[in-house]
């Protein structure tokens, strides 16, 4: 008998017992049932408490069953995987609940009339009105902030990665890190102090300046990381052909990292689009339509939401308008992210032959 035939007849001693693929689902279902029983027996009314109990039982049950069947080493791997899934659910469930609540309550008054009319002479406690003035204000203020903050942030990141050496680069990096963590109200107070010095009245562009300050460090950090991912071989190959460094950056480095840079800018826009404190200090709010961001008070979607809630005096109409404006703001950010993905895919370097 040949050696190959003998080898084929030997049992596979290296492969131990293993749980079936459906075992995590079975353990999860059992954990939910047991958690529900514990919750009912203990008189726990909150479903969040039931969920936390189920998560703990799932982790403990997975470890115990895996240890008994597969051994302690494999059980450690399974318990790590269980922690990842539980953490994922803990993060997703509140987000899904928030979106569901916003959609459920926001669609009550969200229609064409609501999107194309302002509050005008409608009181906050009365029914009617819309968010057209707030949409215009948000688009103008965020747009001007992007025109200011995005180029400065990208150019600063290019300096730090491609040219920055010595004390100046370290100082810029330090201040970027500090600016990343400053509260939004500080940026608003800084612009407000300048307005008081020059005796200026609230206007939309002042809010754009504060939003640009908040946007720049996010753009710098994200762009810096994307530029560092570009292989140095591409730079060296371009420089070896006698191409100047500025042209290498413009034609090689930036096109290679444009997808990540665009995504970082969109993330920065998503952050400043929901800021309320700087707008409240600098733009002041206006129930009427004002298309000139350089003169007179304006409104914005975050400020509109705050004012509807703060001045509602228990009015259901104001609460409905606030939820509808919140849904509009979420849709605005979602559209921006989808547009960023499309631009990133369109501008991404071609890797095929």
């Amino acid at each position: 008998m040949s050696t190959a035939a003998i080898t084929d007849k030997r049992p596979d001693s290296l492969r131990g017992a293993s749980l079936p693929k459906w075992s995590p689902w079975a353990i999860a279902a059992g954990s939910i049932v047991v958690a529900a029983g514990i919750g009912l027996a203990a008189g726990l009314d909150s479903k969040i408490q039931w969920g936390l109990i189920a998560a703990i039982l799932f982790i403990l049950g997975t470890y115990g069953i895996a240890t008994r069947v597969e051994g302690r080493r494999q059980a450690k791997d399974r318990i790590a995987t269980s922690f990842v899934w539980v953490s994922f659910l803990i993060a997703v469930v509140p987000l899904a609940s928030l979106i569901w609540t916003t959609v459920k309550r926001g669609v009550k008054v969200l229609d064409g009339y609501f999107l194309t009319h302002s509050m005008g002479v409608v009181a906050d406690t009365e029914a009617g009105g819309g968010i057209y003035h707030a949409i215009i204000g948000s688009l103008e203020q965020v747009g001007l902030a992007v025109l200011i903050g995005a180029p400065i942030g990208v150019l600063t990141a290019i300096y730090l990665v491609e040219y920055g050496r010595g004390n100046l680069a370290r100082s810029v990096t330090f201040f970027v890190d500090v600016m990343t963590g400053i509260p939004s109200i500080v940026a608003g107070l800084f612009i407000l102090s300048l307005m008081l010095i020059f005796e200026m009245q609230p206007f939309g562009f002042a809010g754009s300046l504060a939003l640009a300050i908040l946007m720049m460090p996010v753009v710098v950090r994200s762009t810096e990381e994307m530029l560092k991912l570009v292989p140095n071989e591409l730079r060296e190959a371009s420089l070896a052909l006698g191409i100047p460094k500025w042209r290498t950056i413009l034609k090689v480095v930036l096109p290679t990292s444009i997808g990540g840079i665009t995504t970082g800018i969109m993330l920065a826009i998503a952050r400043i689009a929901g800021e309320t404190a700087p707008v409240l200090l600098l733009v002041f709010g206006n129930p009427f339509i004002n298309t000139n961001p350089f003169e007179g008070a304006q409104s914005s979607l975050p400020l509109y939401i705050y004012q509807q809630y703060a001045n509602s005096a228990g009015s259901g109409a104001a609460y409905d308008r606030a939820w509808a404006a919140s849904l509009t703001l979420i849709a605005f950010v979602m559209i921006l992210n989808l547009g960023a993905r499309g631009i990133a895919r369109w501008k991404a370097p071609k890797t095929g032959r």
Side-chain angles (χ1 to χ4, degrees):
M1 184 178 294
S2 64
T3 305
I6 295 174
T7 304
D8 292 339
K9 292 183 177 181
R10 288 178 180 175
D12 190 358
S13 59
L14 296 179
R15 182 179 299 173
S18 178
L19 291 173
K21 293 182 179 181
W22 49 263
S23 59
W25 299 99
I27 297 173
S31 300
I32 294 174
V33 173
V34 175
I38 294 175
L40 291 174
L44 302 177
D45 297 329
S46 176
K47 300 299 187 296
I48 297 177
Q49 295 174 327
W50 292 21
L52 293 176
I53 295 173
I56 295 173
L57 292 176
F58 174 72
I59 294 174
L60 296 178
T62 300
Y63 180 75
I65 296 174
T67 301
R68 186 175 183 86
V69 177
E70 298 177 331
R72 182 165 297 181
R73 182 176 181 180
Q74 187 65 22
K76 292 180 180 180
D77 178 74
R78 287 191 176 273
I79 197 173
T81 305
S82 301
F83 269 115
V84 171
W85 278 104
V86 169
S87 301
F88 168 75
L89 291 176
I90 291 176
V92 168
V93 168
L95 176 61
S97 176
L98 173 63
I99 294 176
W100 169 252
T101 302
T102 305
V103 172
K104 181 180 178 181
R105 303 194 62 173
V107 296
K108 292 182 179 179
V109 296
L110 185 60
D111 52 20
Y113 179 88
F114 183 74
L115 296 174
T116 56
H117 286 75
S118 67
M119 289 300 294
V121 295
V122 179
D124 291 334
T125 56
E126 297 176 355
I131 58 171
Y132 183 68
H133 61 299
I135 293 176
I136 292 177
S138 284
L139 291 177
E140 291 181 347
Q141 293 160 28
V142 173
L144 290 172
V146 173
L147 291 178
I148 298 171
I152 295 176
V154 172
L155 292 175
T156 302
I158 292 174
Y159 165 76
L160 292 175
V161 175
E162 304 293 339
Y163 298 98
R165 300 292 185 274
N167 293 330
L168 179 59
R170 286 192 291 270
S171 300
V172 172
T173 301
F174 172 76
F175 282 109
V176 168
D177 292 337
V178 171
M179 290 177 62
T180 304
I182 63 172
S184 59
I185 191 67
V186 175
L189 289 173
F190 171 70
I191 302 299
L192 180 62
S193 64
L194 297 179
M195 292 175 60
L196 294 176
I197 292 174
F198 294 101
E199 298 181 353
M200 303 173 68
Q201 297 297 319
F203 61 111
F205 185 66
S208 299
L209 294 175
L211 296 179
I213 293 174
L214 298 173
M215 180 182 183
M216 280 188 286
V218 180
V219 176
V220 172
R221 272 285 163 251
S222 59
T223 304
E224 188 178 0
E225 294 302 322
M226 290 302 105
L227 294 177
K228 289 179 180 179
L229 293 177
V230 178
N232 286 327
E233 289 78 5
L234 295 178
R235 298 181 176 89
E236 295 169 355
S238 178
L239 295 174
L241 295 175
I243 300 176
K245 188 170 184 178
W246 70 268
R247 195 171 182 85
T248 299
I249 296 172
L250 187 63
K251 295 295 185 179
V252 176
V253 177
L254 288 179
T256 305
S257 58
I258 189 64
I261 294 174
T262 305
T263 303
I265 293 175
M266 290 301 108
L267 290 175
I269 294 175
R271 183 204 170 181
I272 66 173
E275 290 292 346
T276 306
V279 180
L280 181 62
L281 285 175
L282 306 172
V283 181
F284 204 68
N286 188 353
F288 296 95
I289 298 173
N290 179 13
T291 58
N292 185 4
F294 300 99
E295 183 180 359
Q298 272 190 321
S299 185
S300 69
L301 285 174
L303 181 58
Y304 178 88
I305 296 168
Y306 168 76
Q307 289 177 335
Q308 289 299 306
Y309 180 81
N311 303 327
S312 63
S315 172
Y319 287 152
D320 291 339
R321 286 193 295 264
W323 282 108
S326 301
L327 181 58
T328 305
L329 184 59
I330 292 176
F332 173 69
V333 174
M334 185 179 298
I335 292 172
L336 284 177
N337 281 275
L338 292 176
R341 289 179 179 272
I343 295 173
R345 181 170 297 182
W346 175 42
K347 292 294 185 180
K350 304 299 184 292
T351 57
R353 290 185 176 180

